[in-house]
Amino acid sequence: MPSQRKLGRTTDQRKAMLRSLVTALFQHGKIVTTEARAKEVKNIAEKLIAMAVRETDNFTSKQIKISSAKLDSAGRKITKTVTSRNGRKYEVVDREEKTDMVTVDSPSRLHARRQIISWLYRVKDANGKNINLADKLFDEIAPKYKDKNGGYTRIYKLGPRRGDAAEQVVLELV
């Protein structure tokens, strides 16, 4: 008996379709799809959310030095002229060092993050900036469900689709 429904697709097509549906679910919070697909996506999404919930507080904070370019009032980098050993002059970007607190994942959280990333596609927002869905899962979605054991998603039936009468459903995060 297979662990997943075949959904009338070859393995690579099925995995790509499920990955895109899971990615869309985490990006938008809900998706409209067929009932069979929604049941498969629900299983995958519940496992990924449970993994993130288990590792929510499993990190430490660390102070590191960050070197960044100094900027003028217009937002351009400030440069200074430097002379090399052989007497040539060239421009170098003026830099400043700051200390900043960053979070460092424990090994088990890092492993969970990598497993989650393997199931998600890279996405961009409307402005073209990359959205890190793994961070969104760990920072926004998982803390909501910290006190809950399972049942992170919900399926609503909408009725048959007009073209082929397939049962349409809304899959959403609770």
Side-chain angles (χ1 to χ4, degrees):
M1 186 168 169
S3 60
Q4 293 180 333
R5 293 172 176 84
K6 304 275 185 177
L7 300 174
R9 311 253 181 210
T10 59
T11 305
D12 57 341
Q13 291 174 351
R14 183 173 59 249
K15 283 184 179 179
M17 177 183 59
L18 292 174
R19 281 182 71 184
S20 66
L21 287 171
V22 170
T23 301
L25 177 64
F26 289 144
Q27 183 181 5
H28 303 295
K30 70 179 182 178
I31 56 174
V32 178
T33 185
T34 63
E35 188 174 9
R37 290 178 186 176
K39 287 179 180 179
E40 288 306 309
V41 171
K42 180 176 181 169
N43 288 339
I44 297 164
E46 296 261 346
K47 288 175 187 172
L48 296 180
I49 293 171
M51 202 181 307
V53 167
R54 261 195 318 272
E55 301 293 335
T56 301
D57 298 326
N58 201 359
F59 63 90
T60 58
S61 295
K62 179 179 174 183
Q63 247 186 359
I64 62 166
K65 289 183 181 177
I66 298 173
S67 175
S68 61
K70 288 184 182 177
L71 303 176
D72 63 3
S73 60
R76 294 182 301 246
K77 295 177 184 175
I78 300 173
T79 59
K80 61 183 178 180
T81 305
V82 179
T83 306
S84 67
R85 289 183 193 161
N86 61 3
R88 293 193 180 152
K89 295 185 186 241
Y90 59 95
E91 298 289 318
V92 175
V93 175
D94 199 15
R95 302 189 75 75
E96 61 184 350
E97 282 194 3
K98 300 184 232 177
T99 56
D100 197 13
M101 291 293 285
V102 295
T103 59
V104 179
D105 289 345
S106 68
S108 62
R109 182 177 166 126
L110 181 62
H111 179 63
R113 182 180 295 276
R114 287 177 175 163
Q115 286 181 318
I116 289 169
I117 288 171
S118 74
W119 261 107
L120 300 175
Y121 283 123
R122 293 181 184 172
V123 293
K124 296 186 179 194
D125 63 1
N127 300 330
K129 287 189 173 183
N130 289 331
I131 300 172
N132 190 340
L133 288 180
D135 283 348
K136 182 176 180 179
L137 192 60
F138 277 102
D139 298 339
E140 297 173 22
I141 298 172
K144 276 197 314 193
Y145 301 121
K146 192 172 181 182
D147 300 329
K148 198 170 179 184
N149 292 330
Y152 310 118
T153 58
R154 174 186 303 141
I155 294 179
Y156 286 124
K157 292 189 176 183
L158 294 177
R161 186 162 50 197
R162 184 179 168 112
D164 60 357
E167 188 66 32
Q168 290 286 94
V169 298
V170 173
L171 176 65
E172 66 180 9
L173 298 173
V174 176

